Amino acid sequence: MRALPHPALEEFQNQSVQQLIRGSWGLEMTDRIALFIDGANLHTTVKSLGFEVDFRRLLAEFGKHGQIVRAYFYTVVRDDDEFSSLRPLVDWLDYNGYAVRRKAAKQHDDGDGRRRMKRSIGIELAVDALEIAHRIDHAFLFSGDGDLRAVVEAVRRMGVRVTVVSSIRTKPPMIADELRRHADVFVELDNLRPSIERPAHPIAPE
């Protein structure tokens, strides 16, 4: 059973996260920011790190450090996913401050006669990033997918600072080297755990 953190330790951890955001990320309170969350990639990463994301806390945490213009969440669904475990989360995000982008999964032949499921959200994310770039100062990309390198480069050319949030602590590392090298800042997702983790056992109000 995991012990609950001491209040003083939890406060210190939260202060450390805030210092990290203000310092290493170069954020100002007046900055306009957008979050781009690759749902499948984030899920795989946090599962490997051993925790779950509380999306309400995530949005609140970033809202403390700038003006959130838009928070996008990208997910790929199959026709038979209507009643999957993902559905409640997606519905909740829809009503709680996130712009959810659903993409239908498509099957394709891998060349050896096997049917594969194509789950890339790169095009949808790129379109959103380029459309909103003129309205933001800082973009946070929650993904380690190297295919998104071109998006990062394009947005940076438009004068937007880009931070990639992923992990090198997973085995193997989730962040692609080419994506990490082309971002302005790389943030280890595990370092954000104190401020975005979903409590295992929520404490009932007194």
Side-chain angles (χ1 to χ4, degrees):
M1 182 177 180
R2 185 181 174 189
L4 291 174
H6 188 280
L9 175 60
E10 187 172 27
E11 181 179 357
F12 171 78
Q13 290 174 327
N14 288 335
Q15 288 176 347
S16 297
V17 170
Q18 291 172 8
Q19 291 168 357
L20 174 68
I21 293 175
R22 293 287 177 83
S24 300
W25 300 3
L27 274 178
E28 300 290 342
M29 284 299 296
T30 54
D31 279 355
R32 301 163 299 169
I33 63 179
L35 313 181
F36 299 87
I37 302 172
D38 179 346
N41 195 280
L42 177 63
H43 173 75
T44 301
T45 305
V46 295
K47 185 176 181 181
S48 297
L49 292 171
F51 73 98
E52 293 184 34
V53 172
D54 184 325
F55 287 95
R56 189 191 303 276
R57 293 187 70 195
L58 186 152
L59 202 61
E61 181 61 41
F62 280 81
K64 295 175 185 176
H65 309 286
Q67 175 191 352
I68 298 179
V69 177
R70 194 66 57 86
Y72 297 99
F73 183 91
Y74 302 87
T75 183
V76 178
V77 296
R78 300 181 306 183
D79 291 339
D80 56 354
D81 276 349
E82 182 177 359
F83 301 104
S84 73
S85 59
L86 183 65
R87 181 67 180 272
L89 171 63
V90 171
D91 287 345
W92 184 91
L93 293 172
D94 252 336
Y95 287 100
N96 287 275
Y98 289 85
V100 178
R101 300 288 193 254
R102 300 174 179 84
K103 180 179 180 180
K106 295 183 179 180
Q107 289 189 346
H108 67 97
D109 194 311
D110 66 0
D112 294 323
R114 293 187 296 259
R115 303 297 292 173
R116 300 289 187 183
M117 197 68 68
K118 189 174 182 180
R119 295 179 177 271
S120 173
I121 48 84
I123 294 177
E124 288 74 16
L125 192 151
V127 170
D128 286 335
L130 294 174
E131 284 185 346
I132 203 173
H134 69 286
R135 297 173 51 202
I136 62 175
D137 305 298
H138 203 129
F140 289 87
L141 173 61
F142 289 74
S143 182
D145 189 346
D147 290 343
L148 298 176
R149 185 193 73 180
V151 181
V152 170
E153 291 177 323
V155 172
R156 290 185 65 202
R157 285 195 297 269
M158 299 175 72
V160 177
R161 188 172 174 84
V162 179
T163 292
V164 170
V165 184
S166 187
S167 182
I168 59 173
R169 296 179 186 170
T170 56
K171 295 184 179 181
M174 282 298 295
I175 179 71
D177 185 60
E178 64 266 30
L179 183 63
R180 182 180 179 183
R181 286 188 287 107
H182 284 83
D184 290 294
V185 180
F186 165 72
V187 170
E188 170 58 52
L189 182 63
D190 199 29
N191 289 341
L192 299 182
R193 183 170 181 163
S195 59
I196 68 170
E197 181 176 14
R198 179 181 178 185
H201 301 287
I203 300 174
E206 296 181 359

